[in-house]
Amino acid sequence: MFLGTYSPRLDDKGRLIFPAKFREELSEGLVLTRGQERCIYVFSAAEFQKVHEQMRAAPLSSKQARDYIRVFLSGASDEVPDKQGRVTIPTPLRQYAGLDRELAVVGAGSRAEIWDAQAWESYLAEQESAFSDTEDEVIPGLF
């Protein structure tokens, strides 16, 4: 499970060193892809397989499902971290997420997310005010 928020930097070659707590889960390979809210989703190879299986269950007759799957998978890149835990983030994904040198890597349970640090701070400030207003229907059974 991915938890916490970390502040790594992107190096000159577009590489990111994942937080030590994430490295074991990602050591066998990972998939980077477009996330919602202009971040990059990071899945372990095993978790991405589960996500893909869920997508395969969507009916081909659903235009919304086809559109989502196209955007999600067309931006996907499978990677294997080097011995230092570094992964190169492909240029199209860096551009999509507007990544600069300062990053936020956020644990989101079954995935991690990579955000531009400024974008994450803005998003978090906006969402924190609504956090206390969340109703139990949003996440059934949580409260």
Side-chain angles (χ1 to χ4, degrees), residues 11 13 15-18 23 30 79-89:
D11 72 12
K13 296 179 181 178
R15 295 178 302 191
L16 160 71
I17 298 175
F18 278 107
R23 289 184 203 156
L30 58 102
E79 305 289 336
V80 177
D82 67 13
K83 292 184 191 311
Q84 288 79 35
R86 294 180 302 198
V87 171
T88 300
I89 301 174

Side-chain angles (χ1 to χ4, degrees), residues 46-108:
E47 185 63 29
F48 189 79
Q49 186 63 37
K50 292 177 190 174
V51 170
H52 183 250
E53 289 302 318
Q54 291 173 328
M55 289 181 171
R56 289 182 61 177
L60 282 176
S61 58
S62 168
K63 181 177 179 348
Q64 186 176 15
R66 289 191 316 269
D67 290 345
Y68 183 87
I69 291 167
R70 282 183 191 123
V71 171
F72 189 79
L73 294 179
S74 69
S77 177
D78 56 336
E79 305 289 336
V80 177
D82 67 13
K83 292 184 191 311
Q84 288 79 35
R86 294 180 302 198
V87 171
T88 300
I89 301 174
T91 302
L93 287 175
R94 289 196 316 262
Q95 290 171 341
Y96 169 79
L99 299 184
D100 200 5
R101 197 160 178 75
E102 304 295 323
L103 304 177
V105 175
V106 180

